[in-house]
């Protein structure tokens, strides 16, 4: 009985493989090498966005930025609310890989600080026209960057930007992705987004809770 079933399976299988092969053949040109790749998550460990805040961790406490604020201290799109907040831009990066002078900008009158970030400094902070601007210098031996922000009134921190060395806010808004990232994926014809989307251990089970491009990070 089992034997006859198997015999019947053979032609079906051959037909199936033939259909697959002709289908694939129709889509992929035979003269071009096809390479796919896994895109790592857009976290502080990877240089993906021109604005480093696009891949920062969720905002947290000013003294311990890796610890989240209470749920009622975030706007729906993720900006922190309060008189202080902090964030982890990157940790454990090979020294020198993210060094340079970053341009900072944020709404309101902010005081900027560094948390446990050796070889980094904050310079030329100016408050004018409802904005705070300045520079964060990441030294060639730096492997960690964690920042915090303080303001006099309990309100929402908004439009925090940290533009990577050599770029402007306009670049961050128009080009969005860092050219070094685009260079690494330029030959890939198929992108695997599993890590980028945080598929494993993702607590979100409803569509309405997904991340949006308007989210802060
Ligand atoms: C700031 O105001 C929010 C309400 O807008 C409140 O939930 C929060 O406790 C306040 N935080 C501080 C530090 O006062
Ligand atoms: C910071 O200010 C000093 C003194 O005005 C200036 O020489 C330097 O170029 C400024 N740095 C940046 C990154 O703009
Ligand atoms: C969806 O988001 C809401 C608001 O943040 C939260 O209360 C709820 O637990 C989330 N649900 C799931 C299934 O992630």
């Amino acid at each position: 009985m089992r034997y006859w079933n198997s015999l019947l399976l053979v032609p079906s299988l051959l037909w199936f493989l033939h259909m697959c092969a002709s289908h694939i053949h129709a889509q992929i040109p035979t003269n071009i090498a096809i390479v796919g790749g896994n895109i790592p998550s857009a976290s502080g460990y990877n240089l993906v966005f021109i604005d480093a805040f696009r891949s920062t961790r969720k905002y947290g406490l000013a003294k311990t930025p890796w610890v989240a604020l209470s749920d009622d201290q975030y706007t729906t799109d993720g900006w922190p609310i309060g008189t202080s907040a902090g964030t982890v831009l990157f940790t454990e990066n090979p020294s020198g890989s993210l060094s340079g002078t970053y341009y900072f900008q944020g709404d309101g009158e902010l005081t900027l600080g560094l948390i446990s970030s050796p070889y980094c400094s904050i310079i030329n902070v100016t408050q004018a026209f409802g904005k705070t601007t300045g520079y964060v210098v990441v030294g060639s031996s730096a492997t960690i960057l964690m920042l915090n922000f303080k303001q006099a009134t309990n309100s929402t921190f908004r439009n925090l930007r940290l533009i990577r060395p050599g770029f402007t806010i306009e670049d961050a808004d128009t080009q969005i992705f860092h050219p070094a990232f685009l260079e690494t994926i330029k030959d890939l014809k198929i992108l695997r987004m599993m890590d980028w989307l945080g598929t494993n251990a993702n607590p979100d089970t409803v569509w309405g809770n997904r991340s949006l491009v308007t989210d802060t990070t």
Side-chain angles (χ1 to χ4, degrees), residues 203-206 209:
D204 281 343
T205 53
V206 292
N209 279 16

Side-chain angles (χ1 to χ4, degrees), residues 89-169:
L89 270 306
F90 54 81
T91 60
E92 297 159 36
N93 275 82
S95 55
S97 62
L98 296 172
S99 62
T101 302
Y102 291 60
Y103 171 70
F104 171 87
Q105 183 177 298
D107 285 3
E109 299 198 342
L110 310 177
T111 308
L112 274 185
L114 289 164
I115 304 290
S116 310
S117 301
Y119 311 109
C120 296
S121 56
I122 294 169
I123 60 164
N124 298 12
V125 175
T126 309
Q127 298 168 336
F129 308 111
K131 284 194 191 309
T132 301
T133 61
Y135 295 90
V136 177
V137 183
V138 176
S140 58
S141 300
T143 60
I144 299 175
L145 180 61
M146 295 190 274
L147 289 175
N148 65 18
F149 330 94
K150 293 181 181 156
Q151 58 188 1
T153 56
N154 178 11
S155 56
T156 303
F157 290 90
R158 278 198 195 280
N159 299 323
L160 303 174
R161 314 293 303 265
L162 191 67
I163 307 301
R164 294 191 193 272
F167 295 92
T168 62
I169 288 211

